[in-house]
Amino acid sequence: MVQRHRSIERLMELLGRLPGVGPKTAERFAYHLLRIGRDDAIAVADAIVEVRDAVRTCSVCFQLDASDPCTICADETRDRGIILVVEDPREIARFEEAGWRGVYHVLQGRVSQLEGIGPDDLTTESLIARCKRDVVHEVCLANNPDLEGEGTAQLVAERLRPFCANVTRLARGMPAGSAITQLSKSILADALDGRRPLQPPG
Amino acid sequence: MVQRHRSIERLMELLGRLPGVGPKTAERFAYHLLRIGRDDAIAVADAIVEVRDAVRTCSVCFQLDASDPCTICADETRDRGIILVVEDPREIARFEEAGWRGVYHVLQGRVSQLEGIGPDDLTTESLIARCKRDVVHEVCLANNPDLEGEGTAQLVAERLRPFCANVTRLARGMPAGSAITQLSKSILADALDGRRPLQPPG
């Protein structure tokens, strides 16, 4: 019997820990890294080492950046009194594009009973510590508008309330640019629930 | 605007070259490698370097092994007169389990008009050189029983014929352990085409 070299087995095992990667995909990745030029394969290894050397987690808000505290937490022009709470550091770029000028807090995940992740497995304690330490007049929970996101927001809000009077949640409703005929009844129900007085043109 | 650190962009670009990995998956992998412990991330980099240091491509048959020539090519007890031609080195383990005692030749891929891969982009020339150099009395093409595999086998066979009189193909038919009611008409057509005289019990 031909045995696979143990270094291939080892690489497959490690690649199989990437999110959504099963044994077959890990095998495909490992053999791809063996088939391509040596320099191209080593470049992947170097890029992993470099990213871990260059990028760190901000000790205040847990976003990923070259500096700690991160550029946003160090920025004196940002409003530190309003914290937008996100699950994943990737979401920050989206809110920056949308014009957010407050600061952030990355939960590093979501509550999931299935996976045994409770609010205390996230960065909730650090968020509470920020509320105690700084003058925070609003914490807005920007969890995804789905079942797990709502659950996470509820549980984090429970912990936060003793330390912050004003815990908010992002609005749900019709997505900008959509057509009502194409929207689901849950989206329209949200839009009805959250209807607001029309401002007279200023 | 928060810019992603260039080391993250670089890692995402390289991970995006893995087979079947698009930009979104590459992003998920990169952030996973940033979220897990530093040692766990560096272990992936080390495993890539190690696999490239430990494993080489056999210069005779193009399979992957710790030595060159590989264990099978160096094995004096194997029948070097019969070469089983496979597309991918991973397939060798399956044929070893099935009891093959000849040698192998890895094509390193398949002919694909869509991807612009012809028989000369595979290791066909080396296979021809083996037929010229050694006493090879059979080359069996073990390409997959699908459209691209059949096409590859046809094109490789064309090149081989001047140098090997006996080019064969693996049998197609009913898979062992299957139930005829569950088999497709193409499988049954193959089984009918390939029917063989029943051997009297010996």
Side-chain angles (χ1 to χ4, degrees), chain A residues 1-8 10-11 14-15 17-21 24-25 27-57 63-66 72 78 88-90 92-94 96-97 108, chain B residues 1-8 10-11 14-15 17-21 24-25 27-55 57 63-66 72 78 88-90 92-94 96-97 104 108:
Chain A
M1 236 312 278
V2 173
Q3 289 276 304
R4 233 199 286 261
H5 196 272
R6 52 161 189 74
S7 67
I8 303 181
R10 167 86 177 139
L11 179 59
L14 291 172
L15 293 174
R17 295 184 198 163
L18 289 170
V21 174
K24 284 280 160 196
T25 305
E27 186 185 51
R28 208 161 73 232
F29 287 172
Y31 280 86
H32 174 85
L33 289 168
L34 277 162
R35 196 174 56 241
I36 60 176
R38 188 178 194 280
D39 289 351
D40 291 333
I42 301 303
V44 178
D46 289 345
I48 295 171
V49 174
E50 206 194 313
V51 89
R52 292 303 307 228
D53 285 345
V55 177
R56 57 214 72 218
T57 301
Q63 90 140 313
L64 298 166
D65 199 6
I72 293 174
R78 314 273 310 204
D88 188 299
R90 282 169 285 183
I92 289 179
R94 308 284 181 278
E96 286 293 291
E97 284 166 9
Q108 293 189 324
Chain B
M1 237 312 277
V2 173
Q3 289 277 303
R4 235 199 284 263
H5 196 270
R6 55 165 186 71
S7 67
I8 304 182
R10 167 88 177 139
L11 180 60
L14 291 172
L15 294 174
R17 295 185 198 163
L18 289 170
V21 174
K24 282 280 161 199
T25 306
E27 184 185 52
R28 206 161 74 232
F29 288 172
Y31 280 86
H32 174 86
L33 289 167
L34 277 162
R35 194 174 56 241
I36 59 179
R38 189 178 192 280
D39 289 350
D40 292 332
I42 301 302
V44 178
D46 288 345
I48 295 171
V49 175
E50 205 194 314
V51 89
R52 292 302 305 226
D53 285 344
V55 177
T57 302
Q63 90 140 312
L64 297 167
D65 199 8
I72 293 176
R78 314 277 306 208
D88 188 298
R90 282 169 283 182
I92 289 179
R94 308 286 181 278
E96 286 294 290
E97 285 167 9
Y104 295 93
Q108 293 190 321

